[in-house]
Amino acid sequence: MPDLAQHRPVLADARYNGMSGSGLRLEALPEGHLLHVLGAIEPPALATELAKAGLANSSIRKAGFRQWFVAGNEPLSPTSLAALAAALAGKAFVMDQSHGRVRIGISGRSSRLLLSKGTAIDLDPAVFPEGSSAMTMVGHISVQIVRTGDDSFELTVLRSFAESLWDELRHMAASAEKEGA
């Protein structure tokens, strides 16, 4: 009997080791956990329940009306997921999306310039401050953009589009580096 399939991060190949230029860094983030939470629960109450389930280091990102993505770098145990689902019962539903989505980090002084080449979101810090998130398109690929710092962003994409998005970002990065220099 063949061995069971082993999980391999989609951007694990050597060509996805990251990219750094003078004003830009592109990196594949750990495939930890990504949960989709739907329901009438506000972020402070959700954060409390996350802490009780051992997910205090996770971040909460708005994904739509009464919808949030909960992202973190550590893999999620079935016990933690079950504890969170039980704690949210009657308030919200939780679905594990860890297997189906990939996170990519973009940082550096040219990060906004790079993203402006692929999306129409106004990423000015006055309009899109740290912690803000938006569902949008980068080229033809649907992504969630989250501002994680002054010049840093995280993009969450469906797993099957991760390599295409990476290639598109590298192409846009080369152009942004020339303009930002």
Side-chain angles (χ1 to χ4, degrees):
M1 184 163 129
D3 290 339
L4 294 174
Q6 297 294 315
H7 174 76
R8 179 179 102 28
V10 70
L11 298 176
D13 191 291
R15 64 187 161 156
Y16 304 112
N17 281 341
M19 184 191 106
S20 264
S22 60
L24 193 59
R25 174 148 176 77
L26 182 62
E27 62 183 319
L29 298 175
E31 288 189 20
H33 63 273
L34 185 74
L35 307 175
H36 191 181
V37 178
L38 297 98
I41 187 169
E42 294 299 318
L46 179 55
T48 299
E49 298 303 335
L50 289 170
K52 289 179 190 175
L55 300 170
N57 292 330
S58 300
S59 64
I60 300 170
R61 291 99 185 264
K62 188 159 182 63
F65 179 69
R66 292 185 173 176
Q67 295 183 51
W68 296 268
F69 280 135
V70 175
N73 291 339
E74 300 80 29
L76 185 67
S77 73
T79 306
S80 293
L81 180 59
L84 182 60
L88 295 177
K91 299 176 241 174
F93 296 96
V94 61
M95 292 158 290
D96 187 3
Q97 297 288 305
S98 306
H99 63 286
R101 298 184 191 255
V102 173
R103 296 178 304 132
I104 297 172
I106 301 172
S107 58
R109 71 174 191 275
S110 297
S111 58
R112 281 193 296 153
L113 179 59
L114 177 146
L115 290 171
S116 72
K117 294 180 174 303
T119 188
I121 298 285
D122 185 351
L123 298 172
D124 186 278
V127 177
F128 198 79
E130 187 172 339
S132 294
S133 64
M135 297 299 294
T136 188
M137 303 290 281
V138 172
H140 69 285
I141 301 171
S142 179
V143 300
Q144 180 189 45
I145 296 178
V146 178
R147 176 178 237 118
T148 57
D150 189 40
D151 285 325
S152 59
F153 299 87
E154 188 174 296
L155 278 61
T156 303
V157 62
L158 288 171
R159 184 179 190 84
S160 58
F161 288 102
E163 290 178 336
S164 294
L165 178 61
W166 183 273
D167 292 340
E168 184 68 20
L169 290 170
R170 284 184 56 99
H171 178 73
M172 292 186 313
S175 176
E177 280 289 301
K178 290 177 188 171
E179 289 179 38

